[in-house]
Amino acid sequence: MKIFVVGGAGYIGSICTELLLDEGHETAVFDNLTEGHRRAVDARARFIEGDLADREQIQAALSSTHPDAVMHFAASALVGESMRDPSKYFRNNISNGLNLLDAMVATSVGRLVFSSTCAIFGPPERVPIDETAPARPINPYGESKLAFEKILRWYDEIHGMKFVSLRYFNAGGASANFGEDHRLETHLIPKVLKVALEQKPHVEIYGADYETPDGTCIRDYIHVIDLARAHILALGARKSDFYNLGTGGGSSVREAIDACRKVTGRKIDIVEKPRRPGDPPRLIASSEKIKNELGWRPQLQSLEGIAESAWKWHQKFPQGYGD
C-alpha cells in the first residue's frame, strides 16, 4: 500500500514509518518539524515538509503521492500546556485536522488511522479502561482529541471515510534506529535515562502518597513497536471503529525508575514532590477489543524490555537527534 504519514518525523510516527517500510509499503512523511526531527525520518521514505495549517500544502502533498491511506500522528500533546494555552490545542488538533480531512475528501483518499489518546476518558470509574467507559476529558488536550473522534464519525457517514482511532497512554522504548527525543521532555522513561546519562541530577516523582502499593501513580506503558504494529494492523480494518491500547496491567512510577536502574546499572536519584492536580492514581487501558477484532498481539510488554530498548537508543544518540 501507499501510506501517507502525517507527523512522521515525531517519536511514534517515525517508528511506524520504519515498520511500514520494513513491510514493503511505499511511505511518504508529511511534517512541519516543529516537534519532529528531520533525522528521525527513515531515509527510504519520501519526506515532504509542510504544515496542516495550510490546506493547500496538504492537498498538494496528497495529490502528488496518491496514498491508499493516511496515518495521522501530528498533534499538540502536553496536558499541562493545554491547560495554559487551550487555543493552541483546539486549533492544531481540531482545525488543522479538519484541513487534513477536507484535503483527503478532495483527493479521494478514503482511509485514516488516527493516533488518539485514552485522555479522552478522564479519571476512570474502573480500570482497565475499555471502549464502553464514558468519555469525560478533564483537559483541553483530551477534549480536542475527543472532538476530532466525533468529527471522524460524521466524515464516515457523510463522505464514506473509513477510520480507526487508537487510544493509548504511555508509549515507551525505541527501535534500533529511532527513539524518543522531545524538545520539551515530559515522559518518565527518557527523563530517568537522562539522569543515567548524567544530563540531569535527579528525576522527580510527583506524589508518593497515592493509594497504590508503593504510593506512586500506576500507568500503562506500551512498547512503541507494539504500538506501531497496531497502527499497521488498523489499515486492514473492515469498518470504522475505536480501540483502546494497553497492557491491561500497568506499572508504578517507582517500578519504572527501578527498571531503568536495572538496565542501566547506574545510580538514579529521585526527588519527591507534591501531587500534580488531576493525576489519577491508576490509568490502565484494556486491549481486549483490538485483540479480538484485529488480532493485535503485543510482543514486547516487559517494562525492563521497554527501558532497555530506550537505553540502547539513548546511549547511541546521547544528544538525541541533535537539531
Side-chain angles (χ1 to χ4, degrees), residues 283-300:
L283 289 176
I284 301 168
S286 167
S287 297
E288 291 309 304
K289 182 179 176 182
I290 192 171
K291 287 177 180 177
N292 293 334
E293 295 186 7
L294 299 186
W296 182 63
R297 295 290 182 270
Q299 305 296 314
L300 304 165

Side-chain angles (χ1 to χ4, degrees), residues 83-97:
M83 294 295 286
R84 297 188 300 272
D85 188 5
S87 175
K88 175 181 177 180
Y89 280 70
F90 295 132
R91 289 179 188 278
N92 194 24
N93 297 357
I94 301 175
S95 298
N96 292 354

Side-chain angles (χ1 to χ4, degrees), residues 84-247:
R84 297 188 300 272
D85 188 5
S87 175
K88 175 181 177 180
Y89 280 70
F90 295 132
R91 289 179 188 278
N92 194 24
N93 297 357
I94 301 175
S95 298
N96 292 354
L98 278 169
N99 285 341
L100 173 62
L101 296 183
D102 290 341
M104 289 175 64
V105 171
T107 55
S108 301
V109 182
R111 180 171 291 273
L112 175 75
V113 178
F114 177 51
S115 180
S116 189
T117 173
C118 283
I120 68 163
F121 293 110
E125 295 177 347
R126 63 185 185 277
V127 292
I129 304 167
D130 64 23
E131 292 78 3
T132 66
R136 294 181 297 209
I138 59 171
N139 52 67
Y141 167 58
E143 192 73 61
S144 69
K145 289 284 194 171
L146 178 60
F148 195 73
E149 286 194 349
K150 291 180 178 180
I151 290 166
L152 289 176
R153 293 175 188 264
W154 289 106
Y155 270 67
D156 182 10
E157 181 169 332
I158 295 166
H159 298 295
M161 182 181 293
K162 299 305 171 189
F163 69 88
V164 170
S165 181
L166 299 177
R167 305 150 163 173
Y168 47 92
F169 283 120
N170 296 73
S175 70
N177 299 310
F178 303 106
E180 193 166 8
D181 179 18
H182 298 110
R183 289 179 173 84
L184 176 60
E185 190 55 75
T186 62
H187 292 172
L188 178 62
I189 289 175
K191 288 175 74 173
V192 176
L193 296 180
K194 286 180 184 294
V195 179
L197 289 167
E198 299 182 350
Q199 296 175 358
K200 299 285 185 182
H202 58 260
V203 64
E204 296 170 342
I205 292 179
Y206 292 94
D209 58 349
Y210 287 95
E211 293 181 0
T212 60
D214 65 17
T216 64
C217 288
I218 292 175
R219 294 293 182 263
D220 203 337
Y221 296 92
I222 181 170
H223 200 294
V224 66
I225 290 178
D226 283 331
L227 198 58
R229 287 178 178 143
H231 284 78
I232 294 171
L233 273 175
L235 291 169
R238 295 180 180 178
K239 60 182 178 65
S240 295
D241 216 333
F242 305 89
Y243 295 101
N244 296 355
L245 290 173
T247 62

